[in-house]
């Protein structure tokens, strides 16, 4: 997935267009707008039907309105309603939440009590290979231990969880190993590491930049869009480990046009129009240079992960798969809201596992940047042609190392352009090598529109100009 820089190439996407995404062989319908109930009293207390991003906004409002009675919330994607936890006993609070449009559930554990439990875990069980996050659906702390947590380490984490009580915390084992998703390969490259670009932004001084994972930012100072190529961007700020996993990387060329979009392959893009907070239960999509497009649900917020390199706090926990090279890549919603940056986790896209993301809203605030890139936001920069027959969307050699991928007879060869309408692109239905489908056919489980792309390749996202296209490509 990409958010590519476009210094010389023309953008091959329609201005302001948000295309239907496909992930795990699911074509997404357009999200419906929020709907209010009727004016009678009964309807006024009925839960509203909401988009996930609207539910997140409502949850923030209710947290302020309800004060200490607010005990978390989550999004019921089946009914498309916000479920709000409130401390049992205050009927006035229940009525307030219902009038605001939420479905209300009375629970026992307050956010203060859950925070105290998390503090105990931090003090007594900060062990590499463990994580914990509040799960509002159970009103408990979900603790996870990976396969490296055995013997005395397992005994310590298990006994700490038991000391909190079964009504406060639960523990589960993960078959994988918690790690950051850095890898060697294509995408954005720095110091022997490969990462993915997350979202293009405008730095506080007005210069074009992008967000990626902090562990990528501390791994190398300069980043290239081709392996062994000349640097195109330099790290300005990076946080990892500690209070997050994010980095601000500024493009070296101040004239770089960095559109606010995610390239999902096949010349198709999703315009990114805002940054939003995650809501537990919401469906989200991740794009990465290794595994392409994948989808899943938000499982927990304010997660603490104890990586081998150190503890990282304030993350989003999901069940979206990721693999090495996907680090830094974009987590977003179908309606174009930027949610997170891929940090790390366990498992892969074959067996699944837990995956953690840096919230975009927190990262933007910390580095003093704003989402998008001026007049380039949501489309090509000024003066760029936007016709579908233009050159590869932000850049392009397809597939790992500029090649179209195994069997890529119809894909772009090394250095050729693979964007929508480009001469080297595979036409709909043609093969471009084993891997992700970007045109309606099967490609590693990700259906995006009709062509097959090389393994891990994002059409129009290759290593030709992949600094922005590298979004979603490196640190997984």
């Amino acid at each position: 997935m990409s958010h590519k820089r476009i210094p010389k190439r023309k953008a091959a996407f329609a201005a302001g267009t948000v295309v239907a995404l496909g992930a795990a062989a699911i074509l997404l319908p357009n999200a419906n707008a929020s709907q209010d109930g009727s004016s009678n009293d009964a309807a006024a207390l009925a839960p509203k039907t909401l988009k996930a991003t609207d539910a997140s906004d409502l949850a923030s409002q209710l947290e302020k309105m309800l004060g200490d009675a607010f005990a978390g919330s989550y999004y019921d994607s089946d009914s498309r309603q916000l479920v709000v936890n409130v401390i049992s006993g205050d009927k006035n609070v229940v009525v307030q939440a219902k009038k605001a449009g939420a479905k209300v559930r009375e629970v026992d554990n307050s956010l203060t009590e859950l925070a105290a439990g998390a503090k105990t875990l931090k003090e007594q069980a900060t062990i590499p290979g463990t994580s914990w996050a509040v799960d509002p659906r159970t009103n408990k702390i979900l603790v996870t231990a990976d396969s490296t947590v055995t013997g005395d380490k397992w005994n310590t984490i298990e006994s700490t969880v038991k000391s909190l009580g079964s009504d406060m915390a639960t523990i589960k084992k993960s078959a994988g190993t918690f790690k950051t998703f850095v890898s060697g390969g294509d995408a954005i490259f720095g110091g022997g590491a490969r990462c993915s670009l997350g979202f293009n932004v405008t730095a506080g001084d007005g210069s074009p930049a992008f967000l990626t994972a902090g562990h990528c930012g501390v791994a190398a100072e300069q980043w290239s869009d081709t392996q062994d190529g000349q640097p195109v961007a330099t790290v300005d700020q990076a946080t990892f480990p500690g209070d997050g996993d994010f980095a601000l990387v500024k493009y070296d060329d101040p004239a770089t046009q960095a559109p606010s979009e995610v390239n999902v392959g096949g010349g198709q893009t999703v315009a990114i129009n805002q940054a939003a907070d995650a809501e537990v239960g919401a469906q989200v999509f991740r794009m990465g240079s290794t595994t392409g497009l994948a989808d899943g649900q938000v499982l927990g917020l304010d997660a603490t992960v104890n990586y081998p390199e150190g503890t990282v706090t304030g993350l989003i926990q999901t069940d979206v798969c990721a693999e090495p090279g996907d680090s830094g890549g974009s987590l977003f919603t179908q309606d174009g809201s930027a949610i997170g940056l891929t940090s790390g986790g366990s498992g892969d896209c074959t067996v699944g596992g837990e995956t953690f993301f840096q919230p975009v809203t927190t990262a933007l605030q910390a580095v003093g940047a704003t989402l998008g890139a001026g007049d380039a936001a949501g489309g090509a920069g000024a003066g760029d042609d936007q016709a579908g027959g233009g050159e590869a969307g932000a850049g392009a050699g397809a597939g790992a190392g500029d090649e179209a991928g195994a069997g890529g007879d119809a894909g772009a060869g090394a250095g050729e352009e693979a964007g929508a309408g480009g001469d080297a692109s595979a036409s709909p239905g043609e093969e471009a090598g084993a891997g992700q489908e970007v045109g309606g056919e099967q490609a590693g489980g990700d259906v995006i529109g009709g062509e097959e792309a090389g393994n891990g390749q994002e059409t129009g996202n290759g290593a030709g100009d992949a600094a922005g296209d590298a979004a979603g490509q490196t640190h997984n």
Side-chain angles (χ1 to χ4, degrees):
M1 114 179 210
S2 294
H3 300 270
K4 216 163 202 173
R5 67 186 183 98
I6 314 181
K8 297 180 180 178
R9 298 180 179 276
K10 297 178 181 179
F13 52 87
T17 297
V18 178
V19 300
L21 298 181
I26 299 174
L27 292 177
L28 300 179
N30 290 329
N32 295 322
S34 304
Q35 301 174 6
D36 293 330
S38 62
S39 59
N40 61 58
D41 292 342
L45 293 178
K48 293 180 180 178
T49 299
L50 301 166
K51 294 188 297 183
T53 48
D54 292 336
S56 178
D57 291 341
L58 178 57
S60 297
Q61 295 169 19
L62 285 172
E63 183 174 9
K64 296 175 182 177
M65 180 190 304
L66 303 181
D68 292 341
F70 179 86
S73 64
Y74 63 95
Y75 183 66
D76 185 334
S77 57
D78 291 332
S79 64
R80 297 179 57 241
Q81 295 172 345
L82 176 70
V83 181
V84 173
N85 295 334
V86 299
I87 298 303
S88 301
D90 191 336
K91 298 305 179 184
N92 182 52
V93 166
V94 172
V95 173
Q96 281 184 286
K98 286 184 176 180
K99 285 184 175 180
K103 183 177 180 179
V104 179
R105 189 178 69 153
E106 296 188 61
V107 297
D108 295 325
N109 295 323
S110 69
L111 291 182
T112 300
E113 291 169 329
L114 292 168
K119 182 179 179 181
T120 298
L121 287 164
K122 178 181 179 180
E123 293 171 346
Q124 301 181 16
T126 297
I127 299 168
T130 61
S131 71
W132 49 82
V134 172
D135 179 2
R137 288 170 296 192
T138 62
N139 190 227
K140 297 179 182 180
I141 302 170
L142 174 61
V143 180
T144 306
D146 73 14
S147 59
T148 67
V149 182
T150 58
D152 290 342
K153 292 189 291 185
W154 169 256
N155 293 337
T156 297
I157 189 72
E158 184 179 41
S159 62
T160 304
V161 169
K162 286 183 177 179
S163 72
L164 297 176
S166 60
D167 60 342
M168 178 66 68
T170 59
I171 187 171
K172 72 170 187 175
K173 265 286 200 179
S174 173
T177 300
F178 290 158
K179 60 184 180 296
T180 53
F181 292 130
V182 179
S183 178
D186 66 329
I188 56 172
F189 305 85
R194 173 170 67 99
C195 283
S196 297
L197 180 152
F199 297 99
N200 280 321
V201 299
T202 299
D205 61 1
S207 61
F210 63 84
L211 294 176
T212 189
H215 62 264
C216 298
V218 300
E221 181 181 5
Q222 294 185 305
W223 289 84
S224 173
D225 54 8
T226 58
Q227 192 165 18
D228 300 322
Q230 291 297 311
V232 297
T234 303
V235 174
D236 181 73
Q237 303 176 50
T239 296
F240 177 84
D243 296 330
D245 186 3
F246 55 88
L248 176 70
V249 187
K250 291 183 177 180
Y251 291 108
D252 295 335
D253 181 356
T256 294
Q257 296 171 12
S260 187
E261 52 85 24
V262 173
N263 187 330
V264 295
Q268 302 181 68
T269 62
V270 173
I272 299 300
N273 48 58
Q274 65 178 339
D277 293 324
E279 186 69 23
V280 170
Q283 185 180 33
V284 286
F285 298 83
R286 177 200 53 72
M287 193 69 194
S289 63
T290 298
T291 57
L293 188 67
D295 72 322
Q297 276 196 351
V298 176
L299 301 180
L301 303 178
D302 198 20
T304 294
V305 185
N306 297 301
Y307 291 123
E309 300 93 334
T311 299
V312 180
T313 60
L315 301 183
I316 302 166
Q317 183 171 350
T318 80
D319 61 4
V320 184
C321 74
E323 296 182 7
D326 289 332
S327 280
S330 316
L331 185 74
F332 57 101
T333 63
Q334 75 175 63
D335 62 356
S337 294
I339 301 296
L341 308 166
T342 306
S343 174
S346 67
D348 55 34
C349 287
T350 299
V351 301
E354 299 80 19
T355 309
F356 303 95
F357 296 82
Q358 164 65 46
V360 167
T361 52
T362 305
L364 288 171
Q365 183 177 19
V367 301
T370 54
L371 193 66
D375 59 4
D384 280 341
D385 291 339
Q386 295 175 342
E391 295 180 12
D402 285 350
E403 294 183 358
D409 46 272
E416 295 179 324
E417 296 181 13
D423 294 341
S425 333
S427 59
E430 293 182 323
E431 291 186 356
Q436 154 186 3
E437 287 193 332
V438 290
E441 301 180 321
Q442 175 120 358
D446 292 342
V447 177
I448 306 180
E451 309 168 313
E452 288 188 9
N455 194 3
Q457 141 189 8
E458 300 173 14
T459 303
N461 261 359
D465 272 341
D469 254 348
Q473 295 173 352
T474 298
H475 207 270
N476 256 33

